[in-house]
Amino acid sequence: MAEILVLVDHLDGAVRKFTTEMLTLARRAGEPSAVFVGSGYDAAAETLAQFGAAKVYVADAPDLSEYLVTPKVELLASLIARTQPAAVLVPSTLEAKEIAARLAIRTGSGLITDAIDVSAELGTQQSAFAGSYVVDAKVTTGTPIIAVKANAVTPETAPSTPAVEAVAVDLPDSAKQARVVSRSPRKQTGRPDLSEASVVVSGGRGVGGPEGFRVVEELADALGGAVGASRAAVDSGWYPHASQVGQTGKTVSPQLYVAAGISGAIQHRAGMQTSKTIIAINKDGEAPIFEMADFGVVGDLHQVLPALVAEINRRKG
Amino acid sequence: MKIAVCVKYVPDAAADRSFSADHTTDRVGSIGILSELDEYAVEEALKIREAGDAEVIVLTMGPDGAETALKKALQMGADRAVHVSDPGLHGADAPATSLVLANAISRLEVDLVLCGMASTDAIMGVVPAMIAERLGLPQVTLAAELTVDGGAVRIRRDGEDAVEEIEASLPAVVSVTDQINEPRYPSFKGIMAAKKKTVETWSLSDLDVVPDQVGLGAAWSAVTEVTRRPPRSKGTVVTDDGTGAAQLADFLAANRFV
Ligand SMILES: Cc1cc2nc3c(=O)[nH]c(=O)nc-3n(C[C@H](O)[C@H](O)[C@H](O)COP(=O)(O)OP(=O)(O)OC[C@H]3O[C@@H](n4cnc5c(N)ncnc54)[C@H](O)[C@@H]3O)c2cc1C
Ligand SMILES: Nc1ncnc2c1ncn2[C@@H]1O[C@H](COP(=O)(O)O)[C@@H](O)[C@H]1O
């Protein structure tokens, strides 16, 4: 069966759900080979095996993280040359899309980003124009390189015993041009990752200030979800940029999206339009967010959210 | 210092956007504008010029009408504008776009290439990295902060898991996010000054690119179908009379979220 390279998305070996989804998709079209870059493979091994990696390539040299993007391009390019895979799947994150971009040029291969589905024939689906279109596409030249969005598929286990191979990467000078001079890890919130959470509760300008996000967080915690924010809230400095949902933030497609004090501008909708169920709380009954909400409450979020949290906790007993 | 800013002419997201019969983005039947995310790159170039000495050249590859995007950048204050326009470019994919832009950039002989983080129509966010790959230049992308000092650039990048500082020597390709600055509106003076500036038009033959390398037929991927999603239907909207939270909780329970 054809080999499919899957670039593992992980933080120090903690494999993101993203990766298990890509392995699931890759199994439709061939045999997944996980490509693990960085330290912490031991922590990742079990998950990769559980989701059906037939092979794992592990590259863990310190200088791989000293430069932006290019080391992973070198590694994947050499693996493509050696293994002639049927396709390469990478997560559709900002960094991995850039890895995919250079790899496409390097190997003369077509590239599809932001895929929301990948078929056994390596056909893809994407959302376009803020979710108003679905586009079917296919790579026609070279080794298909596909950047897959989170939540594209429900991960399915398929236990395997992967063959593990350590690979060395020789970085030419051309790969050492953009040097990472400092890296400060982001504070972990203890909540699920925004891009892959099944529930997201977001606050906007209507939240009124940084303290206003407390009740947004409480609702997120009551529902076991992640916290998001509109750009207006982020630009006001009320919540970190990493939590921004929308065109220039994260795209999310959870089972449940709650928009509190968010008007529903096109750039915001672009990041949450494909959520399964959408709830809106806004004091302006004319706010465009209500056009797409499955359930909306016209009211003051400072009253509705605390009462909702109390009600949920009461029902949970 | 010479700076090239890559700007794209895109359909306005605030208006209706659609596809043409050949599955390419409809750029004729829609209202086109300078991609909002590229305004941040233009602004950053102007700031560099104001802090030192630089020539700001805006560069676009696009259909007739793309001068609109260049005009806006000239009104903001760019010095020079180049429009790569050729019938052979219709349907160009990202690899082809990067080839054309890379050749144009080589011809301009610049020290710094500035791009937006993504075009607002395709939202791929890949062209800057592709240009860097083609030109063998350092790629310093997604800058939320940029410093150009002597022969080097340094950026702050708010990455997925960490905030990073990245450094490279010039020439380099830098892309900027919408966190980096607040783009200016063209001033009256800027609008008047732009009237005197001309847009240079280059064709594929000026760039040693043959139509067979670019355009719809040469694309490395193909769109097989586009389907309009039915718009989301509007659900129940209630006005809070004190029972809003309870009704919401009922809805959540009915859909098994609690
Ligand atoms: C290039 C570009 C990129 C962008 N990218 C993004 C992006 O990624 N993500 C994004 O979100 N935006 C993005 N935007 C901004 C977008 O256009 C909107 O400005 C933004 O989404 C508005 O945020 P908001 O809904 O929180 O604020 P507003 O539009 O001001 O809406 C606030 C809402 O809160 C309601 N409200 C006020 N008080 C209360 C209360 N007490 N209770 C209940 N409701 C209340 C109001 O009725 C109003 O509807 C982008 C814009 C540009 C130009
Ligand atoms: N046709 C084009 N002409 C000029 N610049 C472009 C073009 N396409 C993309 N770019 C640049 O590349 C960036 C990323 O675009 P994309 O990869 O298409 O999302 C944009 O913000 C522009 O700076």
Side-chain angles (χ1 to χ4, degrees):
Chain A
M1 242 217 253
E3 187 167 354
I4 308 231
L5 299 179
V6 174
L7 182 63
V8 175
D9 192 29
H10 72 99
L11 181 59
D12 300 325
V15 174
R16 296 215 165 89
K17 191 167 125 244
F18 225 142
T19 303
T20 62
E21 291 163 1
M22 287 192 291
L23 289 171
T24 305
L25 288 173
R27 291 205 312 268
R28 290 181 179 170
E31 270 191 341
S33 292
V35 181
F36 185 97
V37 188
S39 58
Y41 172 65
D42 287 348
E46 195 186 318
T47 312
L48 299 179
Q50 198 187 357
F51 286 89
K55 260 190 213 154
V56 184
Y57 300 104
V58 180
D60 179 18
D63 61 352
L64 292 179
S65 57
E66 279 171 33
Y67 308 95
L68 197 65
V69 174
T70 41
K72 289 178 184 159
V73 177
E74 295 295 333
L75 169 66
L76 288 169
S78 72
L79 285 174
I80 289 176
R82 183 161 66 120
T83 66
Q84 307 282 319
V88 181
L89 302 189
V90 305
S92 208
T93 58
L94 293 174
E95 187 186 6
K97 284 208 281 188
E98 294 188 335
I99 294 167
R102 297 189 75 123
L103 197 58
I105 300 301
R106 183 80 62 92
T107 61
S109 299
L111 163 67
I112 289 172
T113 60
D114 305 292
I116 54 168
D117 199 11
V118 181
S119 73
E121 292 74 39
L122 296 168
T124 60
Q125 290 205 316
Q126 297 159 285
S127 272
F129 298 152
S132 53
Y133 281 86
V134 177
V135 173
D136 287 82
K138 203 165 178 173
V139 168
T140 49
T141 303
T143 308
I145 300 173
I146 303 172
V148 186
K149 276 196 120 51
N151 296 324
V153 70
T154 308
E156 287 159 21
T157 56
S160 65
T161 316
V164 182
E165 182 191 327
V167 280
V169 195
D170 258 338
L171 293 187
D173 285 344
S174 60
K176 295 183 176 176
Q177 300 184 107
R179 212 162 48 84
V180 178
V181 287
S182 80
R183 180 175 275 140
S184 351
R186 210 178 277 298
K187 220 170 63 224
Q188 300 294 313
T189 62
R191 298 195 177 87
D193 214 60
L194 186 57
S195 331
E196 56 186 35
S198 56
V199 175
V200 175
V201 182
S202 291
R205 204 197 303 273
V207 162
E211 327 73 49
F213 265 91
R214 278 273 300 284
V215 31
V216 174
E217 290 178 340
E218 282 165 14
L219 180 59
D221 292 341
L223 294 167
V227 176
S230 74
R231 178 167 165 198
V234 168
D235 283 355
S236 306
W238 303 345
Y239 222 69
H241 178 246
S243 305
Q244 182 177 314
V245 171
Q247 186 187 69
T248 53
K250 300 251 157 59
T251 314
V252 300
S253 56
Q255 297 296 316
L256 175 66
Y257 188 83
V258 182
I262 290 176
S263 60
I266 180 90
Q267 294 91 350
H268 187 79
R269 297 206 304 264
M272 44 68 75
Q273 183 123 349
T274 54
S275 305
K276 270 264 162 47
T277 301
I278 297 173
I279 285 180
I281 300 123
N282 194 305
K283 67 179 183 191
D284 174 11
E286 304 291 310
I289 191 78
F290 285 123
E291 300 294 322
M292 55 185 313
D294 298 284
F295 196 90
V297 176
V298 181
D300 187 341
L301 70 93
H302 297 292
Q303 251 121 54
V304 178
L305 294 195
L308 179 58
V309 171
E311 187 67 26
I312 292 171
N313 289 335
R314 193 179 62 76
R315 294 185 190 207
K316 282 204 286 201
Chain B
M1 180 156 85
K2 236 166 135 181
I3 306 172
V5 188
C6 298
V7 299
K8 193 175 180 189
Y9 172 70
V10 298
D12 189 352
D16 205 25
R17 292 181 292 181
S18 62
F19 290 94
S20 308
D22 63 358
H23 302 327
T24 60
T25 301
D26 183 1
R27 299 182 193 281
V28 179
S30 58
I31 303 162
I33 56 166
L34 164 61
S35 179
E36 278 168 316
L37 292 172
D38 295 343
E39 289 184 18
Y40 297 87
V42 175
E43 176 65 34
E44 203 57 23
L46 297 175
K47 282 172 70 177
I48 294 168
R49 187 184 65 192
E50 283 158 7
D53 184 29
E55 183 188 15
V56 177
I57 308 162
V58 284
L59 167 66
T60 197
M61 180 198 106
D64 293 346
E67 311 83 55
T68 317
L70 295 173
K71 282 269 161 57
K72 170 93 185 270
L74 288 173
Q75 291 175 346
M76 286 173 76
D79 300 299
R80 201 179 140 191
V82 174
H83 179 189
V84 182
S85 169
D86 199 290
L89 281 167
H90 175 78
D93 60 353
T97 302
S98 69
L99 173 68
V100 171
L101 293 176
N103 284 15
I105 289 162
S106 300
R107 185 169 162 182
L108 289 167
E109 293 183 5
V110 297
D111 307 288
L112 175 64
V113 180
L114 279 173
C115 293
M117 66 184 284
S119 50
T120 58
D121 52 354
I123 331 188
M124 291 183 78
V126 298
V127 167
M130 286 181 170
I131 293 174
E133 176 72 27
R134 291 198 183 271
L135 295 174
L137 293 180
Q139 170 204 337
V140 193
T141 41
L142 301 169
E145 207 179 299
L146 168 66
T147 331
V148 183
D149 195 4
V153 283
R154 182 188 271 252
I155 67 158
R156 191 192 87 226
R157 169 169 163 131
D158 294 331
E160 213 69 26
D161 301 311
V163 176
E164 297 161 322
E165 281 190 308
I166 292 144
E167 209 174 61
S169 53
L170 293 175
V173 178
V174 174
S175 75
V176 304
T177 73
D178 59 344
Q179 299 284 301
I180 197 165
N181 58 40
E182 200 53 60
R184 69 193 67 187
Y185 289 103
S187 64
F188 178 71
K189 216 174 119 214
I191 293 170
M192 295 316 286
K195 287 197 202 287
K196 297 198 201 81
K197 298 173 189 164
T198 51
V199 172
E200 297 160 52
T201 308
W202 293 358
S203 67
L204 285 180
S205 57
D206 293 324
L207 297 175
D208 297 322
V209 176
V210 289
D212 287 356
Q213 288 174 281
V214 292
L216 192 56
W220 294 352
S221 56
V223 172
T224 49
E225 209 175 316
V226 296
T227 319
R228 196 186 251 284
R229 273 215 186 94
R232 285 190 85 104
S233 51
K234 189 172 170 170
T236 313
V237 178
V238 301
T239 301
D240 183 32
D241 55 0
T243 64
Q247 293 188 61
L248 249 178
D250 288 342
F251 176 84
L252 290 174
N255 290 279
R256 306 225 239 127
F257 290 114
V258 282

